[in-house]
Amino acid sequence: MKPISTLFKMAVLALFATLAFSCDEEDPSETFEHDGNSNYYGDWKRSNMESYVRFESSTAITCIGGQETIGTFNASAPSMTYVVGGETITFPLEFNGDTMLVGVPDQAIDTHNAQVYYRSDNFPCDGGGGGGSGTGNVMFWISSDFGCGNISVTVNGYGGAITGYFNASPDCGASGAANFTLPAGSYNFTASCSGYSWDGTVTVSEDSCYKMQLTL
């Protein structure tokens, strides 16, 4: 597995700066009230620039300048979280109907730095009309019995399990492997069984399958 490059880290950090720290003449009202009955899911656009966020299940996807970055969405907080070079960045969120406030990490949502987003009918990172699904598969497998029982695997908040082993690389979707279908992007994963644990990064490409073999 290749580590995230320094240039990529810088690009993603710049993206996060755009999400919450850019100059904005708009001062979100301190009287904004979070409505827990709002529909969080779908596409959102920042009020004064081409910055987009999409929420799908427990996935958060940002789109700025054609660059898509995958994170996690916690509807109960609510918040969105990204992991960049091992650093966890969490943005607090508030919703009220078709309006969303994106707060600054580790600060209250009602600071002057919170940014206003509105519902959007457009998400540019879908673009191109290529006809792809926008998602890909990742499969985790082992080539021998490690003697530790089922191996629990978590990717981007989703859980799965390796329940069998294979003499050769299996086809994607094989029973006994841990299979995930996710939007294209890079994800951190963890895996564990009795006495062993793994972690790392996998890359999901549109309409393709990434096979990750766990070894001792």
Side-chain angles (χ1 to χ4, degrees):
M1 294 176 290
K2 296 182 179 179
I4 299 176
S5 69
T6 300
L7 287 177
F8 179 75
K9 292 178 189 176
M10 293 174 63
V12 176
L13 288 172
L15 180 151
F16 292 142
T18 303
L19 274 175
F21 293 100
S22 299
C23 293
D24 190 350
E25 295 179 356
E26 184 171 2
D27 182 13
S29 171
E30 293 184 359
T31 62
F32 185 98
E33 295 183 2
H34 175 69
D35 179 3
N37 294 319
S38 299
N39 177 18
Y40 304 160
Y41 300 102
D43 300 335
W44 301 83
K45 179 185 180 298
R46 185 166 156 175
S47 61
N48 63 344
M49 66 182 297
E50 296 297 312
S51 172
Y52 297 82
V53 178
R54 168 178 289 174
F55 300 120
E56 296 178 340
S57 185
S58 60
T59 300
I61 308 169
T62 64
C63 177
I64 299 176
Q67 178 181 336
E68 187 174 282
T69 305
I70 309 296
T72 58
F73 174 60
N74 181 348
S76 62
S79 64
M80 59 182 177
T81 300
Y82 300 85
V83 179
V84 183
E87 181 179 358
T88 301
I89 305 172
T90 298
F91 293 86
L93 307 171
E94 284 189 1
F95 296 84
N96 193 320
D98 291 335
T99 305
M100 172 178 71
L101 293 186
V102 177
V104 179
D106 299 325
Q107 295 189 21
I109 191 73
D110 60 357
T111 67
H112 69 279
N113 287 318
Q115 301 300 328
V116 180
Y117 283 66
Y118 298 104
R119 285 284 182 187
S120 174
D121 294 327
N122 181 39
F123 194 76
C125 287
D126 283 343
S133 67
T135 63
N137 299 309
V138 59
M139 179 186 69
F140 295 81
W141 67 285
I142 56 176
S143 62
S144 62
D145 185 355
F146 294 165
C148 63
N150 293 343
I151 300 174
S152 298
V153 182
T154 301
V155 183
N156 199 42
Y158 294 97
I162 301 173
T163 59
Y165 65 93
F166 305 85
N167 293 325
S169 177
D171 293 332
C172 245
S175 177
N179 294 279
F180 301 85
T181 300
L182 297 164
S186 294
Y187 300 88
N188 291 325
F189 75 87
T190 59
S192 63
C193 61
S194 179
Y196 302 105
S197 63
W198 299 260
D199 63 79
T201 303
V202 292
T203 299
V204 177
S205 298
E206 184 178 27
D207 298 329
S208 66
C209 178
Y210 186 103
K211 299 181 181 181
M212 171 59 70
Q213 181 183 1
L214 303 182
T215 60
L216 297 180

